[in-house]
Amino acid sequence: MKEKVTYAVVDIETTGGNVASGDRIIQFGCVLIEDEKIVQQYATDINPLVSISKQIEQLTGITNQKVAHAPYFEDVATTIFNLLDGCIFVAHNIQFDYRFLSEEFVRCGLPPLSISGIDTVEIAQILLPTEPSFRLNDLAAAFNFSHENPHQADSDAYVTAELFLMLKKKLKQLPLVTVEKLVELAYHCTMQTGQFFKDTLSEMYTERPPLPKQLIVKEGLALQQKTVDYEQRTHRVPVHYPVTNKEKEELFQQKLTMRTPQIKMMDEVYDYFSEHQSEHQSEHFAIEAATGTGKTLGYLLPLAYLATPQEPVVISTYTTLLQKQLFEKDSKQLNAILPFTIQTAVLKSKRHYIHLAKFQEVLKDPVENQLDALLRMRTLTWLTETTTGDLDELNLTNYLQPFWDKIRHRGWVDTMQEDPFYEQDFYLFAQEKIKNASIIITNHAFLCHDLHRKEPILPDVQKIVIDEAHHLADVATEASSEIFSYYRNQHLLRLVGKLAEEKSFLGRLNQLVPKNVGIQTSQLNLIEMSTLALEEELSLFFEELVMYCHIEMTEAQKKQDQIDLQFVRTTSWSLELRKLTKKVVALLQDVTILGMEVTQQALAQRKQLTQRERHLMDDFFELMQTLEEQTAIFQHIFQNSEQNEVTWFSFKQKSPKDSFVIKRSRIDSSEFLRKKLVEQTKSILYTGATLELNSAFTYFEKQLGEQPLRKLLIPTPYDYRDQAKLWIPKELKPIKQLSKKQFAQMIVEYLEVLVHCSNENMMVLFNSHETLQAVYDLIQQHSAFLGRELLAQGLSGSRDRMLKRFFHSAGGILLGADSFWEGVDLPGKSLRLIVVTRLPFESPDRPFTKARYQWLEREGINPFMADAVPKATIRLKQGLGRLIRSETDKGVLLVLDDRLVHTSYGQQMLTALPSEMTKEVISKEDLGRELPLFLKDEQ
């Protein structure tokens, strides 16, 4: 008879993370599980005999008073040791709880822990591959576990037990073929976590569950079955656009709230695209729809009645995140009210999708490390769930691990039909969905890159909606950027490698020579010699380039760590650099020409190659293409010259050569957009919340190379007179008179005023990451902020995770720059206070900005008034837009920059903000008194 297994699910709360430094346990919680049921609970407070810090009190709710009369750990150590004896130890992030508890046992004269251990974090990462966060609180919220006292041991242990049971159930629901592969890889898991998979597989062999109906097994991989949905418009009752408000009310019913501004937008969009369907006019349309209008549905609903798979509409939005939201949330909301179904599809590049044949080959390779095993296991589970194969579903913060590069889709050099997973290929499936969709959703970066391509991927459409349109010009400029870096090119050359290196491309290609597939060792020798020579010449070139930069740098730049130096073509270029430039170009060309020859010869004999060998040739071909692109960029930078572009050198003083990057970019994209988009597309609708400045679209039109547009301003539905205030402190010193240190101290001084008078969540917006870091450091050292959750961009995880934590905070402080100025939706009490640390001007010292200003001056335009002020004004409007997100919201925007009231351009910026909103200078004392009074009715 099989011995009964008891799982002891444990959580401890401590005064800190290090027993040796005197940290102690303050609470112990344990839940026992047998036969997949919770059978017993045990929890106790523990007197640590050391003071519990304010931060730990705030985090756990456990105070010094609460544990004052609790037993010491020495009193309960034997009880806990005996409780755990013979059990399998389970914890969420086991490395901490197991080690800490074991060290405490030893301190009390007991043996160290030696029982088996399982980590629920790791199991969750494997079995819940699409979850955005694996923190216990977030998983509890995602799966509706009751978790009333987070960071208290009894509650955390119970929730971890529930999670463990759910994960066990989830594992048993996977197909046997997947679980068998997971068991093969689970050997690399933390402690004995692998045993969890092995034991569950044994149970499954006994039960023999059938393969779920929605799954198929192909080449040893369990996959979701996929079908393309086709629109059946010919078989439905004829429908027409709901022209009247009554028809719209019938359509909306109780599912959505009707808003007057949104109805106005719907009708205008419908009329615009209807006119353009029958007429030959080419006027384009810009609609500024203020926050709260409901602009997404404002254009989606009318398009649903006009778009067809034969004449689709392309919608382009700013980011892949917004693209995802349009597809997963907004289009589903639309289909919920329509009397028919409209098919939408997402258009992304190949690299977003997994290539199944390559993943299958990777599974055959030896596991490189624990992370490699974990990623393989996670992907195996995900393949039983996904119908898109879109890697973005995995919600990873980065895809820099070599694993992702190995399994990404890159297409096929020749015959795709030879791919064993051709019929299940995710990229081809996405293409098929696009052919049958009425609405195609993409993002600005993809759109702009597609406008560059000789053979576009986007279908030839004549109806385009550009959402968040104020970003299009900047994204087009970014899409024109070219980068040549020392590190990247040396990395590419190391991948080419040497014949003697088994894992290098040359080493692996050399193994194909005996197969007579057209590859000769002599050819590979030539590539090796050229590659080694190129590595050396590149190294010499960048050494010389660093020396050149040190000569050209100003004294102020020499004191900085990060150097950005504009390259002026008229500058004297030393003879040595000119020689090295020619050598680098010649060698780059040699390597790519020789590499392409080898590729073509081998691919001509493709039928003699195994699947793995074909992938090797595909990957080598892509590597050669990349080197070819780098050659073209290098030539363009140093041998060509265009007026409308800027080149600059960027590197860190500490490691100048390794960090050296050469960047080239178009300065102005208006001409490019005019020729490639504006003049080529019959109907374009531009929309966003910040297209106009002081009721004029002139700046927006110039950026896009547009003719005077048809325009519509849809005013805000919010009452800014009662809902919002903008305050500028009276005692502010001019920013230019403050050093960087003084400026950071001044910001913290005002944040202290705010935390003393209010427990509001506050978002603090920066222009500079350096200032953000300085403020973060000061807050951490300041007693006034103890107990406040502090989140900082670049220091507290991904943007999404930060916003999620901030939303659930009480009195949280979020320090953000860049993307936090917009696209943040935190309604109600989650965000009612925003601090703008300085007016959001671009740094005029950035090479790109400097070059743009010089170009504008050559055109006879004042760069500050024509470019800097409009951009900063739009940014400020975006910041304000984070504050009021519904008719019941209230909020304060505090600007710590006296230029807003003491300069003419500051007054101009104020005028661009809602006219009815209170904008006033306020003393520090009044600020502390007025803020809680203004927000009191919501507290």
Side-chain angles (χ1 to χ4, degrees), residues 48-179:
L49 283 172
V50 295
S51 180
I52 300 172
S53 70
K54 289 287 183 189
Q55 290 98 319
I56 297 296
E57 278 192 13
Q58 180 71 23
L59 180 70
T60 63
I62 303 167
T63 64
N64 286 299
Q65 291 79 5
K66 187 176 192 299
V67 299
H69 301 293
Y72 306 133
F73 187 75
E74 289 84 345
D75 299 333
V76 293
T78 304
T79 303
I80 294 171
F81 189 88
N82 291 334
L83 177 70
L84 299 177
D85 189 36
C87 297
I88 296 175
F89 191 109
V90 179
H92 203 67
N93 187 13
I94 193 169
Q95 302 280 24
F96 175 77
D97 300 79
Y98 194 98
R99 177 186 54 78
F100 203 105
L101 204 53
S102 185
E103 288 177 11
E104 279 285 70
F105 285 145
V106 171
R107 187 179 64 81
C108 297
L110 292 167
L113 276 175
S114 58
I115 57 177
S116 296
I118 293 175
D119 188 4
T120 50
V121 171
E122 204 161 73
I123 301 172
Q125 287 172 334
I126 294 163
L127 299 182
L128 307 172
T130 59
E131 281 302 307
S133 167
F134 297 97
R135 292 169 76 231
L136 190 61
N137 289 2
D138 295 335
L139 289 172
F143 295 98
N144 298 313
F145 298 143
S146 178
H147 196 199
E148 292 175 7
N149 299 303
H151 298 296
Q152 294 215 2
D154 53 351
S155 181
D156 280 1
Y158 195 86
V159 168
T160 304
E162 288 184 297
L163 174 66
F164 177 73
L165 290 171
M166 186 205 76
L167 291 169
K168 179 80 181 278
K169 186 178 177 183
K170 170 86 190 279
L171 180 58
K172 290 179 84 169
Q173 289 169 345
L174 291 176
L176 269 172
V177 66
T178 300
V179 181

Side-chain angles (χ1 to χ4, degrees), residues 9-41:
V9 186
V10 173
D11 185 79
I12 59 173
E13 300 302 331
T14 66
T15 59
N18 193 338
V19 172
S21 299
D23 288 318
R24 296 289 177 261
I25 295 173
I26 53 176
Q27 207 174 57
F28 173 86
C30 181
V31 174
L32 298 183
I33 294 175
E34 290 177 357
D35 296 325
E36 297 181 23
K37 290 177 185 170
I38 293 172
V39 294
Q40 189 180 335
Q41 289 176 255

